[in-house]
Amino acid sequence: MAGEPESSLLVYFLQNEEKIITYMAYAMLLAAMVVFSCTVMGFSVPYGRYSSTKFGMLINANFAWFVQELPAFAVPVWCVFCTDAVQLSNFANNVLVGMMIFHYFQRTFIFSLLHRGKPTPLAPFIAAVFFCLYNGYMQGRYLTHFAVYETNYHISPRFLLGCSMFLGGMAINIQSDRILTNLRKPGETGYKIPRGGMFDYISGANFFGESLEWTGYAVACWNLPAFAFAIFTVSNIGPRAFHHHKFYQEKFEDYPPERKAFIPFLL
């Protein structure tokens, strides 16, 4: 008898899971509005160059990146291999959930080792862990259980365009991260002007690459959870690119005047 309430709750959850994921996506859109409003008013999420002890004890950046990104890799992998994953009979679903796994494998197991950033405060670290767990479940579960596509969807123009945007954005993101990582030699401190790749055109090349990546993912998926994730990403890191741009302009008198903040030749 003691286990009946928990059992009933689980049954209700499973019977209404698709609806719950839809509500989760709407909640993420609402969160994107809040985050965007705060960041455009000047608030910078306190990690990296904006790290501060005001937001809790500092955690080693490499450890923080590994732990916070891990759920967004592990949960989709669990959805693929440890559940019935009924929609994976369609090739398109495999590719789309593979995008999530591919990206977060790189962020979790490669980027976290190469990263040379400042320690991360506890508060944004916990927020990042929660977000990656939340989004990893929302994307992984929806694509493996609820997203229905036509059999030949993987050769449609929309799917191919979205996949191309995703791969192009990921390439820009990885290249930009490598440029930033190599700016300082081991033991060096201070900031330098990043050059090369998309940094010749914009200050936030890494943010542009990741935004392009998840926008392409949303175009290929063409569902609410994917678009909610893409919109949240742009709302969060888009303004951060402008904060970085302002930082560089104020710090370096010789900062390239033709360089934009976030979108080449435009913004």
Side-chain angles (χ1 to χ4, degrees):
M1 296 293 291
E4 286 186 3
E6 291 82 358
S7 177
S8 299
L9 184 62
L10 178 60
V11 170
Y12 175 83
F13 177 83
L14 293 175
Q15 289 177 343
N16 295 274
E17 189 175 11
E18 185 174 6
K19 184 184 297 184
I20 291 170
I21 291 175
T22 299
Y23 291 152
M24 291 175 66
Y26 282 123
M28 185 174 285
L29 289 171
L30 179 61
M33 294 173 58
V34 174
V35 168
F36 182 77
S37 299
C38 292
T39 52
V40 296
M41 289 190 295
F43 176 75
S44 297
V45 180
Y47 69 91
R49 70 189 60 185
Y50 310 110
S51 181
S52 170
T53 54
K54 294 179 181 178
F55 296 89
M57 61 177 286
L58 298 180
I59 303 169
N60 175 271
N62 302 85
F63 175 81
W65 274 102
F66 175 81
V67 173
Q68 71 191 36
E69 303 290 292
L70 183 59
F73 167 79
V75 176
V77 168
W78 173 81
C79 290
V80 170
F81 293 105
C82 301
T83 68
D84 53 356
V86 293
Q87 298 301 338
L88 291 187
S89 59
N90 191 315
F91 181 73
N93 294 68
N94 285 271
V95 173
L96 295 171
V97 74
M99 290 180 179
M100 277 286 295
I101 293 171
F102 182 40
H103 172 90
Y104 281 104
F105 175 87
Q106 194 276 333
R107 300 296 282 183
T108 303
F109 299 103
I110 300 175
F111 175 77
S112 66
L113 297 176
L114 302 176
H115 186 59
R116 295 179 183 173
K118 292 183 177 180
T120 301
L122 182 62
F125 167 71
I126 292 175
V129 171
F130 173 77
F131 177 83
C132 286
L133 183 63
Y134 184 103
N135 188 55
Y137 164 76
M138 186 172 72
Q139 304 300 327
R141 188 68 172 169
Y142 192 81
L143 286 171
T144 56
H145 286 75
F146 304 111
V148 178
Y149 300 102
E150 296 179 358
T151 304
N152 62 348
Y153 179 66
H154 63 281
I155 59 173
S156 68
R158 184 171 69 204
F159 182 86
L160 296 175
L161 172 63
C163 290
S164 298
M165 293 170 63
F166 175 87
L167 292 173
M170 188 171 186
I172 293 170
N173 190 21
I174 292 174
Q175 180 193 46
S176 301
D177 284 337
R178 186 176 70 249
I179 290 172
L180 291 174
T181 298
N182 293 331
L183 273 179
R184 292 191 295 263
K185 297 178 181 178
E188 283 187 335
T189 59
Y191 290 93
K192 298 180 180 179
I193 298 175
R195 302 183 189 277
M198 291 300 294
F199 281 114
D200 290 340
Y201 305 96
I202 48 178
S203 299
N206 50 331
F207 303 131
F208 170 75
E210 188 160 0
S211 296
L212 177 63
E213 187 178 355
W214 293 122
T215 299
Y217 168 80
V219 170
C221 290
W222 207 254
N223 59 50
L224 179 62
F227 275 105
F229 177 32
I231 291 170
F232 184 92
T233 299
V234 176
S235 299
N236 181 28
I237 64 179
R240 194 172 180 87
F242 288 88
H243 298 167
H244 277 32
H245 188 64
K246 182 180 179 182
F247 172 87
Y248 286 129
Q249 288 179 321
E250 293 176 349
K251 189 170 185 64
F252 301 103
E253 293 183 359
D254 59 339
Y255 195 69
E258 71 281 359
R259 191 177 295 189
K260 300 296 184 181
F262 184 47
I263 301 177
F265 310 112
L266 295 177
L267 295 174

